[in-house]
Amino acid sequence: AGLGGIGLDTSREIVKSGPKDLVILDRIENPAAIAELKAINPKVTVTFYPYDVTVPLAETTKLLTTVFAQLKTVDLLINGAGILDDHQIERTIAVNFTGLVNTTTAILEFWDKRKGGPGGVIANICSVTGFNAIYQVPVYSASKAAVVSFTSSLAKLAPITGVTAYSINPGITKTTLVHKFNSWLDVEPRVAELLDEHPTQTTLQCAQNFVKAIEANQNGAIWKLDLGRLDPVNWTK
């Protein structure tokens, strides 16, 4: 989701850093945001395609065929769609976990060095809840733990596939995601307010550190983006 919360600020920072192309795939079109991104750095070609990560794998592959035909080369995939609502169990798993796995699986068609592909880099936006659950939202937290684990496996598969990966794990960030959300079975109706009592960071701080992590390009890194800092996390087995 390149046009919401952390995604939009990250897109702004990426455009400033000056790649040749930025392709945004998002469920909701936001022409004003796209126009703003184009204006930040006219040297960068910004393109938008509507995309819902919950579509079947074949549909994702079809869209990526279009994107690769347009760009010829794609260096980096950022998987950034996410929802936080533990009333919507199936949708949480579909967006936060299944969607990310499917998008990754689809791009391997184009990147896998076993198929003559050039390789590539995947940055998965996970969450600090992936290794330190907000237990009142166990479905969300577990979906994030799943993608942290999936990303670590991808990184270890890089010698086979040619595709490297790392995870971006924001802490509590001031986004619409955390203003109000539902706990599982309403075990804690005040979960959003309780979270807001913790020190947080802005989406801009998060985005700036995200770009630093992209520049570091470290296969297997588990980056924690919290309190305006960027720190590597040592995963303990």
Side-chain angles (χ1 to χ4, degrees), residues 175-196:
T175 69
T176 50
L177 199 68
V178 294
H179 286 173
K180 183 179 181 336
F181 56 91
N182 296 307
S183 64
W184 179 66
L185 300 176
D186 295 319
V187 287
E188 177 47 84
R190 288 184 61 244
V191 65
E193 290 149 62
L194 294 172
L195 266 197
D196 277 341

Side-chain angles (χ1 to χ4, degrees), residues 158-232:
I160 296 167
T161 62
V163 175
T164 59
Y166 49 86
S167 65
I168 298 294
N169 299 280
I172 301 163
T173 307
K174 291 180 184 129
T175 69
T176 50
L177 199 68
V178 294
H179 286 173
K180 183 179 181 336
F181 56 91
N182 296 307
S183 64
W184 179 66
L185 300 176
D186 295 319
V187 287
E188 177 47 84
R190 288 184 61 244
V191 65
E193 290 149 62
L194 294 172
L195 266 197
D196 277 341
E197 289 167 11
H198 289 270
T200 58
Q201 64 185 354
T202 64
T203 52
L204 177 62
Q205 288 173 305
C206 188
Q208 287 169 335
N209 283 323
F210 193 159
V211 170
K212 283 182 193 160
I214 291 172
E215 285 163 354
N217 195 23
Q218 197 182 324
N219 186 40
I222 301 170
W223 293 109
K224 183 169 104 172
L225 287 68
D226 199 11
L227 310 177
R229 291 167 49 99
L230 175 70
D231 297 298

Side-chain angles (χ1 to χ4, degrees), residues 5-235:
I6 294 171
L8 181 54
D9 264 335
T10 302
S11 295
R12 287 185 183 114
E13 294 302 310
I14 288 171
V15 168
K16 281 180 201 165
S17 73
K20 194 157 109 16
D21 293 276
L22 174 66
V23 175
I24 290 174
L25 310 177
D26 207 330
R27 209 163 52 88
I28 297 153
E29 190 163 1
N30 182 341
I34 296 289
E36 185 206 330
L37 291 172
K38 287 179 173 172
I40 291 171
N41 188 346
K43 290 196 183 87
V44 181
T45 308
V46 180
T47 325
F48 172 84
Y49 292 97
Y51 175 57
D52 183 327
V53 296
T54 63
V55 299
L57 182 60
E59 211 168 308
T60 303
T61 306
K62 207 168 112 185
L63 173 60
L64 288 178
T65 304
T66 308
V67 172
F68 274 80
Q70 179 212 333
L71 295 186
K72 306 295 179 274
T73 58
V74 175
D75 305 309
L76 170 70
L77 167 68
I78 298 171
N79 282 312
I83 63 162
L84 174 50
D85 179 353
D86 262 26
H87 285 182
Q88 298 188 60
I89 294 171
E90 285 182 13
R91 184 154 177 82
T92 295
I93 294 164
V95 172
N96 293 357
F97 182 57
T98 315
L100 179 146
V101 172
N102 281 349
T103 308
T104 300
T105 306
I107 207 163
L108 262 288
E109 277 292 310
F110 303 87
W111 274 353
D112 195 331
K113 71 177 187 185
R114 294 170 301 167
K115 298 184 172 181
V121 183
I122 296 177
N124 287 331
I125 303 185
C126 304
S127 163
V128 294
T129 61
F131 32 88
N132 191 3
I134 300 171
Y135 61 87
Q136 299 95 331
V137 281
V139 182
Y140 173 83
S141 299
S143 72
K144 292 299 188 177
V147 289
V148 173
S149 169
F150 178 71
T151 309
S152 295
S153 295
L154 282 177
K156 293 195 176 87
L157 291 170
I160 296 167
T161 62
V163 175
T164 59
Y166 49 86
S167 65
I168 298 294
N169 299 280
I172 301 163
T173 307
K174 291 180 184 129
T175 69
T176 50
L177 199 68
V178 294
H179 286 173
K180 183 179 181 336
F181 56 91
N182 296 307
S183 64
W184 179 66
L185 300 176
D186 295 319
V187 287
E188 177 47 84
R190 288 184 61 244
V191 65
E193 290 149 62
L194 294 172
L195 266 197
D196 277 341
E197 289 167 11
H198 289 270
T200 58
Q201 64 185 354
T202 64
T203 52
L204 177 62
Q205 288 173 305
C206 188
Q208 287 169 335
N209 283 323
F210 193 159
V211 170
K212 283 182 193 160
I214 291 172
E215 285 163 354
N217 195 23
Q218 197 182 324
N219 186 40
I222 301 170
W223 293 109
K224 183 169 104 172
L225 287 68
D226 199 11
L227 310 177
R229 291 167 49 99
L230 175 70
D231 297 298
V233 170
N234 294 314
W235 190 256

